[in-house]
Amino acid sequence: MPYEWVKNLPDVPEDGSDPVAELHLWPYRSLPRKGFVAFFAITSLFIALPLVAVIGSKVLWGLLPFIVLVMGLMWYMLERSYRDGDVIETLTLWPDRIHLLRRDQKGKTHTWECNIYWAKVSLYPTGGPVPNYVTLKGNSREVEIGAFLSEDERKELHSELVLALPRAARKQ
């Protein structure tokens, strides 16, 4: 799952100063950084293997610029993909409030805060920008959460949030 609860709800100090729970969400990565290095190395090897036959000829010099261009573009596009997916959302629950922090791929942060008693979790099966769109509503504002998750993950996230908000509010 591309999200995890950092703090569990049962282990809450009685004074309520620390967060009751914290949820981190991030986009799924089908190719992690270690996989990127391995993929790039194997691709380079497979591209270089046929070039052994043309070493020392003018054909090598004719092919080399195109191979360098292809490898450079592949590197750039994969790096761009990582940069575009560098989004993280942090949902923090206290007994009296809820706070959502979203850092987008450009490093810009967006925040939303609300009294936890007035916070409402909604699931829109249709009609949103993505199927099973999950939002938090409160403080006269509705914000999305986990829009980059898959449909099933958003359903599960909605179920977990519906249970977690009332439990966090009872911890006062």
Side-chain angles (χ1 to χ4, degrees):
M1 282 294 209
Y3 69 87
E4 69 177 342
W5 288 96
V6 177
K7 289 188 170 195
N8 294 327
L9 288 167
D11 304 327
V12 179
E14 293 301 319
D15 64 354
S17 62
D18 286 340
V20 174
E22 191 170 277
L23 175 68
H24 292 191
L25 301 103
W26 59 90
Y28 177 73
R29 292 278 185 210
S30 60
L31 183 64
R33 284 284 180 184
K34 288 181 183 178
F36 168 75
V37 171
F39 168 77
F40 205 81
I42 291 169
T43 303
S44 299
L45 179 71
F46 280 130
I47 287 177
L49 199 59
L51 293 179
V52 172
V54 293
I55 289 179
S57 71
K58 292 180 183 179
V59 175
L60 176 67
W61 295 107
L63 292 175
L64 205 54
F66 296 104
I67 291 171
V68 170
L69 180 68
V70 166
M71 295 303 288
L73 278 173
M74 184 173 59
W75 180 282
Y76 172 76
M77 293 306 222
L78 286 171
E79 281 295 325
R80 170 99 190 255
S81 171
Y82 280 112
R83 213 174 33 252
D84 288 348
D86 193 20
V87 176
I88 188 160
E89 293 179 353
T90 305
L91 180 71
T92 310
L93 304 175
W94 283 272
D96 60 340
R97 70 184 186 280
I98 181 172
H99 183 266
L100 178 65
L101 175 86
R102 179 178 171 39
R103 191 190 77 223
D104 63 15
Q105 61 269 24
K106 296 177 183 173
K108 192 174 179 184
T109 59
H110 307 275
T111 61
W112 171 82
E113 193 164 329
C114 171
N115 185 321
I116 199 163
Y117 295 108
W118 301 110
K120 180 184 175 198
V121 182
S122 300
L123 176 71
Y124 298 100
T126 59
V130 292
N132 296 321
Y133 189 60
V134 180
T135 63
L136 295 169
K137 188 174 186 175
N139 214 13
S140 69
R141 196 169 142 209
E142 190 168 15
V143 294
E144 68 181 356
I145 183 168
F148 44 77
L149 300 174
S150 71
E151 285 184 52
D152 294 333
E153 290 166 344
R154 285 190 297 273
K155 280 183 191 176
E156 190 173 326
L157 174 66
H158 174 262
S159 301
E160 289 182 25
L161 289 175
V162 165
L163 295 173
L165 266 59
R167 285 178 59 199
R170 285 195 301 258
K171 294 294 180 179
Q172 272 189 333

